[in-house]
Amino acid sequence: MAKLSVNINKIATLRNSRGGNNPDVVKVAIDCQKFGADGITVHPRPDERHIRYSDVYALKNIITTEFNIEGNPKEDKFVALVLETRPTQVTLVPDDPGQLTSNHGWDTVKEREYLVQIIDVFKKAGIRVSIFVDPVEEIVAAAAATRTDRVELYTESYAKNYVTDRAAAVREYVAAAAMATKNGLGLNAGHDLDMNNLQFFNESIPDLLEVSIGHALITDALYYGLENTIQLYKRKLRKA
């Protein structure tokens, strides 16, 4: 069964909109784990518009499952943060500093030399490394040469096209996942996965290890409650 890592960025966005500490991201992380989440994901950005760097240090002290920190390693502050907090996993994402949300993966062919060097930094610190990639077989195959432990498939196009033709929407992901397995890479996925499209994606990708879901899950929690929503998502990840 693939693990569900809950991205709590949106909780921090809500908190920051009013100042103070309500909602408390640390308490939410504790509760998510209590409610069944297999991990907690955060994606601090340089402007700290949602998760703050101070949040990451506080969260590290209460994580009892797995801690996944996403971000761009070309930001020196991010690298220092990860090395100081030593999460279970770091997910490397090629975001621009002012980018609203992630919208593409690494070019593992052109960026190979850089990725080899930076991945080695994290692995020497005992941190599992995943890199964000588009569902392109060549890109996934080249990712293996970077010595990353896993790849995270960027699933926006799947989510966008799922409503019109789900078989066509998932086809390139099935091929990319097979390439990852062939090259000995662990397989994660994330971006715009939700209650509607998650189960089919999970059923189509037999080697899926982990999904990271934030925006859709937090939105659903407004209607169903956080505990119930986490359990609803976990049901979608059960293999038939």
Side-chain angles (χ1 to χ4, degrees):
M1 180 173 170
K3 292 183 177 181
L4 172 65
S5 187
V6 176
N7 187 319
I8 60 172
N9 276 22
K10 284 297 185 293
I11 299 297
T13 301
L14 180 59
R15 175 200 62 189
N16 295 353
S17 69
R18 287 292 294 269
N21 195 40
N22 188 25
D24 182 341
V25 296
V26 171
K27 184 179 186 305
V28 170
I30 291 171
D31 288 340
C32 284
Q33 293 175 114
K34 182 172 67 177
F35 297 155
D38 303 299
I40 299 296
T41 291
V42 293
H43 189 149
R45 288 185 164 87
D47 61 6
E48 298 188 297
R49 63 181 179 270
H50 33 64
I51 287 292
R52 300 168 182 153
Y53 280 72
S54 59
D55 292 329
V56 179
Y57 291 102
L59 288 164
K60 173 63 179 177
N61 295 326
I62 56 85
I63 299 296
T64 58
T65 54
E66 292 196 350
F67 195 19
N68 174 44
I69 303 178
E70 300 178 345
N72 191 336
K74 293 186 177 180
E75 296 286 339
D76 292 340
K77 188 177 179 182
F78 175 80
V79 175
L81 175 74
V82 174
L83 293 177
E84 289 172 14
T85 55
R86 301 208 177 196
T88 314
Q89 175 176 272
V90 60
T91 300
L92 308 184
V93 184
D95 280 346
D96 294 326
Q99 203 164 305
L100 179 62
T101 188
S102 306
N103 65 8
H104 67 284
W106 291 96
D107 185 332
T108 55
V109 177
K110 292 182 179 179
E111 298 265 27
R112 174 182 170 180
E113 184 175 347
Y114 168 74
L115 287 169
V116 167
Q117 293 174 354
I118 192 64
I119 287 169
D120 187 57
V121 169
F122 294 122
K123 292 187 73 170
K124 282 181 177 177
I127 303 166
R128 187 174 74 221
V129 181
S130 178
I131 59 175
F132 203 55
V133 296
D134 296 310
V136 178
E137 290 180 78
E138 178 188 10
I139 292 295
V140 173
T146 69
R147 303 186 192 126
T148 186
D149 299 296
R150 298 185 182 185
V151 291
E152 178 175 334
L153 297 179
Y154 171 47
T155 49
E156 182 185 22
S157 67
Y158 164 74
K160 181 179 179 181
N161 296 312
Y162 174 85
V163 293
T164 54
D165 188 339
R166 67 180 190 174
V170 82
R171 191 171 296 128
E172 61 185 352
Y173 291 89
V174 172
M179 183 61 72
T181 300
K182 178 181 177 181
N183 283 277
L185 296 171
L187 192 64
N188 298 343
H191 203 94
D192 289 347
L193 294 173
D194 62 23
M195 197 91 75
N196 296 316
N197 61 42
L198 179 59
Q199 183 171 349
F200 182 71
F201 187 85
N202 180 56
E203 291 171 348
S204 301
I205 311 294
D207 295 322
L208 186 63
L209 296 175
E210 175 186 294
V211 294
S212 175
I213 304 178
H215 182 84
L217 189 150
I218 300 304
T219 300
D220 287 332
L222 295 174
Y223 292 92
Y224 305 121
L226 185 58
E227 181 174 9
N228 190 37
T229 298
I230 288 173
Q231 289 302 313
L232 289 171
Y233 272 81
K234 290 195 71 172
R235 287 177 198 170
K236 302 294 184 181
L237 292 170
R238 291 175 185 161
K239 299 296 186 185

